[in-house]
């Protein structure tokens, strides 16, 4: 038994509420303080320094608040380049803000055409997974995402062939957008699994359980943890899945036809090298700081919570600093790694600070 | 109409301060070392900035921008992925931090379409 289906996903723009804008404040000595809409103050600092040949100590990027990113601010947007160029040329402060219309001309999830081919025994046990994707990119850059790998990760199948290619079109380069690649690829393979469930007559949840992957067969590695089976079972139980009728047009609520479906989502749990600073002040307040960003995801809050938790302080006694290239080194906020990475760094910084405090307190006691 | 404190970056120059002609290839996730195609003669996409007008006020800048004229020589262009999907390629340079597809395992082609 086999199915082969094509899935097309159109271009999708991030278009966060706050359009891109850059304000370059130029001091008399030529140093720049740049207020920029970005998910990475330090990566944009490196970008400006490298393109304009400036020293790091002359360029500070501030992004203390950001009106949404969704990945559009992972790379510097072009108004940063234009604003710094104008500021350097005119030797004055400059602001460049983009209009809503302009927000539709760059940084978008790429259009993608995918073919998923699934071979299965009549029981629904997968015998072959083939997943081929062609994604659009610009003529001047090869934008790449992880689109097809998820199909080899999600299901136990000894035959898998996953291929990913690009094709050039006359548009701007696509950009990472909200679980880049995974949204495209997992949508396709999960749609195909639904088609297979229909073809084989196997319940969609049972089909997933039958082909459940106990190891990462792409990399031949154990999962550090995986509770997806429990999620399926709990979800089915809470949803009343057993009451579902699989026949199309067979379920009604009053005069409305109702369909129930399910799908799996996958994303990585990543942790990146991140530095943080913890400072305790004489008035008993704690400050935690890192050059990460808060793109509306609550980084300020989780950093404050971590600091408060480490010192047993009420959260009002914790100040959080982020969104400034002069703070301890952190990567762009993206990939869902910021909370795990930044809070781990804060935990270590607080542990070191506590140890130091206790050592100083002990010394103070014996010296009296 | 008088436009106060107007400056322009002119796209007809070979590139302002030669910066725009820097390398366009490459995509480093960490530092984003790519110069956007802006203020240059060749138009690569719809929406590409061709000039930047700087003024003391937003209104003056907008009025100045309205004075910019451009003439274009149209070239063949394709924005439909379907039309070029037959020319797809495996990206020769892998993007940093992005895993390429894993090597095929087993024999998916044969398993999917067993020879009769």
């Amino acid at each position: 038994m086999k199915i082969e289906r094509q899935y097309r996903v159109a271009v999708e723009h991030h278009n966060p509420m706050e359009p891109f804008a850059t304000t370059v404040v130029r001091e008399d000595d030529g140093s720049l303080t740049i207020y920029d809409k970005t998910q990475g103050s330090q990566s944009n600092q490196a970008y400006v320094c490298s393109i304009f040949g400036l020293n790091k100590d002359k360029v500070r990027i501030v992004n203390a608040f950001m009106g949404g990113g969704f990945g559009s601010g992972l790379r510097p947007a072009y108004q940063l380049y234009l604003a710094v160029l104008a500021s350097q040329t005119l030797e004055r402060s400059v602001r460049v803000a983009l209009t809503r219309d302009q927000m539709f001309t760059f940084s978008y999830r790429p259009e993608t055409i995918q073919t998923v081919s699934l071979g299965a025994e009549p029981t629904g046990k997968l015998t072959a997974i083939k997943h081929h994707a062609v994604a659009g990119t610009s003529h001047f850059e090869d934008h790449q995402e992880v689109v097809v790998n998820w199909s080899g990760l999600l299901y136990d199948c000894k035959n898998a062939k996953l291929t990913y290619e690009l094709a050039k079109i006359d548009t701007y380069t696509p950009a990472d957008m909200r679980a880049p690649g995974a949204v495209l690829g997992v949508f396709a393979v999960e749609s195909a699994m639904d088609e297979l469930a229909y073809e084989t007559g196997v319940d969609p949840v049972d089909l997933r359980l039958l082909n459940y992957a106990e190891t990462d067969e792409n990399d031949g590695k154990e999962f550090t943890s995986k509770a997806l089976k429990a999620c399926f079972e709990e979800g089915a139980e809470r949803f009343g899945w057993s009451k579902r009728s699989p026949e199309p047009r067979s379920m009604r609520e009053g005069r409305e036809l109702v369909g129930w479906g399910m799908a799996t989502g996958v994303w990585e749990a990543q942790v990146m090298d991140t530095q943080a600073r913890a400072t305790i002040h004489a008035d008993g307040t704690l400050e935690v700081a890192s050059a990460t960003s808060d793109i509306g995801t609550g980084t300020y809050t989780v950093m404050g919570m971590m600091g408060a938790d480490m010192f047993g302080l009420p959260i009002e006694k914790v100040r959080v600093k982020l969104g400034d290239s002069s703070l301890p080194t952190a990567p762009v906020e993206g990939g869902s790694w910021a909370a795990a990475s930044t809070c781990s760094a804060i935990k270590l910084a607080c542990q070191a600070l506590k140890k130091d405090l206790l050592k100083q307190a002990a010394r103070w006691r014996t010296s009296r | 109409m008088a436009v106060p404190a107007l400056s322009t970056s002119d796209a007809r120059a070979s590139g302002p301060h030669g910066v725009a002609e820097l390398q366009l290839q490459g995509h480093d996730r960490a530092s984003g070392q790519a110069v956007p195609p802006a203020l240059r003669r060749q138009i690569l996409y719809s929406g590409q900035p061709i000039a930047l007008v700087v003024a003391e006020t937003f209104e003056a800048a907008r009025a100045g921008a309205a004075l910019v004229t451009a003439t274009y020589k149209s070239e063949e262009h394709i924005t439909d992925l379907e039309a070029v999907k037959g020319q797809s390629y495996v990206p020769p340079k892998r993007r940093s931090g992005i895993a390429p597809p894993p090597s095929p395992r087993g024999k998916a082609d044969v398993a999917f379409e067993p020879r009769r």
Side-chain angles (χ1 to χ4, degrees), chain A residues 59-265:
Chain A
V59 178
R60 178 178 164 218
I61 304 230
V62 180
N63 64 332
F65 295 97
M66 190 188 188
F70 313 121
S72 64
L74 291 171
R75 292 186 76 189
Y78 70 73
Q79 91 293 337
L80 171 64
Y81 165 75
L82 294 181
V84 177
L85 181 67
S87 173
Q88 291 294 90
T89 309
L90 304 171
E91 297 185 347
R92 55 158 296 156
S93 298
V94 170
R95 170 178 293 158
V96 177
L98 299 191
T99 64
R100 183 59 68 191
D101 283 1
Q102 286 167 326
M103 295 294 288
F104 282 99
T105 60
F106 64 104
S107 87
Y108 55 89
R109 192 194 298 285
E111 182 178 0
T112 309
I113 301 170
Q114 302 175 69
T115 307
V116 181
S117 318
L118 301 177
E121 292 166 7
T123 56
K125 181 75 194 99
L126 286 168
T127 53
I129 299 175
K130 295 203 295 172
H131 190 165
H132 177 65
V134 177
T137 191
S138 69
H139 274 280
F140 49 96
E141 285 172 308
D142 279 348
H143 175 77
Q144 295 162 56
E145 301 177 348
V146 177
V147 175
V148 295
N149 306 18
W150 315 100
S151 295
L153 175 75
L154 250 179
Y155 297 111
D156 168 44
C157 182
K158 56 181 186 294
N159 302 300
K161 187 180 171 186
L162 315 172
T163 45
Y164 171 71
E165 297 186 346
L166 301 177
K168 289 191 178 298
I169 45 174
D170 294 291
T171 61
Y172 195 72
T173 312
D176 293 323
M177 178 178 180
R178 308 239 29 194
V183 163
L184 299 163
V186 179
F187 159 71
V189 71
E190 284 297 273
S191 300
M193 284 296 278
D194 249 21
E195 300 274 3
L196 184 67
Y198 190 79
E199 287 291 324
T200 55
V202 178
D203 176 87
V205 177
D206 292 341
L207 185 67
R208 266 81 172 184
L209 291 171
L210 181 70
N211 293 292
Y212 194 82
E214 297 286 1
T215 59
D216 174 353
E217 290 172 31
N218 279 351
D219 290 337
K221 288 179 185 163
E222 297 293 314
F223 293 117
T224 47
S225 67
K226 186 177 178 185
L228 186 59
K229 201 176 266 182
C231 287
F232 285 144
E233 283 159 4
E234 178 84 17
E237 173 65 27
R238 290 206 202 176
F239 206 82
W241 187 257
S242 58
K243 295 198 251 346
R244 170 182 180 265
S245 160
E247 280 303 304
R249 303 179 66 85
S250 65
M251 287 169 72
R252 285 178 177 274
E253 271 177 23
R255 298 182 61 221
E256 288 175 340
L257 288 165
V258 177
W260 286 3
M262 59 85 57
T264 308

Side-chain angles (χ1 to χ4, degrees), chain A residues 8 50 142 159 165 176, chain B residues 33 78 82 88-89 95 107:
Chain A
R8 302 188 48 147
S50 124
D142 279 348
N159 302 300
E165 297 186 346
D176 293 323
Chain B
Q33 302 294 332
I78 297 170
E82 188 71 43
S88 64
Y89 58 95
R95 179 182 167 194
K107 290 178 176 168

Side-chain angles (χ1 to χ4, degrees), chain A residues 240-309:
Chain A
W241 187 257
S242 58
K243 295 198 251 346
R244 170 182 180 265
S245 160
E247 280 303 304
R249 303 179 66 85
S250 65
M251 287 169 72
R252 285 178 177 274
E253 271 177 23
R255 298 182 61 221
E256 288 175 340
L257 288 165
V258 177
W260 286 3
M262 59 85 57
T264 308
V266 196
W267 188 242
E268 301 163 296
Q270 301 181 77
V271 177
M272 304 288 274
D273 280 350
T274 301
Q275 294 177 14
R277 185 178 66 214
T279 314
I280 197 112
H281 294 275
D283 64 359
T285 58
L286 173 72
E287 183 189 282
V288 291
S290 176
T292 186
S293 312
D294 188 338
I295 68 172
T297 42
T299 317
Y300 276 108
T301 308
V302 292
M303 284 173 69
M305 286 165 73
M306 194 71 212
D309 197 48

Side-chain angles (χ1 to χ4, degrees), chain B residues 1-89:
Chain B
M1 182 182 154
V3 181
L6 184 70
S7 311
T8 64
S9 268
D10 194 323
R12 278 169 299 185
S14 63
H17 298 256
V19 195
E21 298 301 328
L22 282 174
Q23 55 130 20
L24 277 163
Q25 294 294 331
H27 180 151
D28 184 336
R29 187 157 156 176
S31 57
Q33 302 294 332
V35 177
L39 316 183
R40 58 212 305 271
R41 288 179 72 100
Q42 197 193 4
I43 301 300
L44 298 173
Y45 70 98
S46 171
Q48 181 175 319
I50 57 166
L52 177 71
V53 178
V54 179
E56 291 290 345
T57 66
F58 170 71
E59 288 75 14
R62 195 172 51 177
L67 298 177
V68 174
T69 56
T71 52
Y72 298 100
K73 194 178 83 191
S74 181
E75 289 177 10
E76 207 177 307
H77 55 274
I78 297 170
T79 53
D80 177 14
L81 184 63
E82 188 71 43
V84 294
K85 71 171 185 191
Q87 296 153 45
S88 64
Y89 58 95

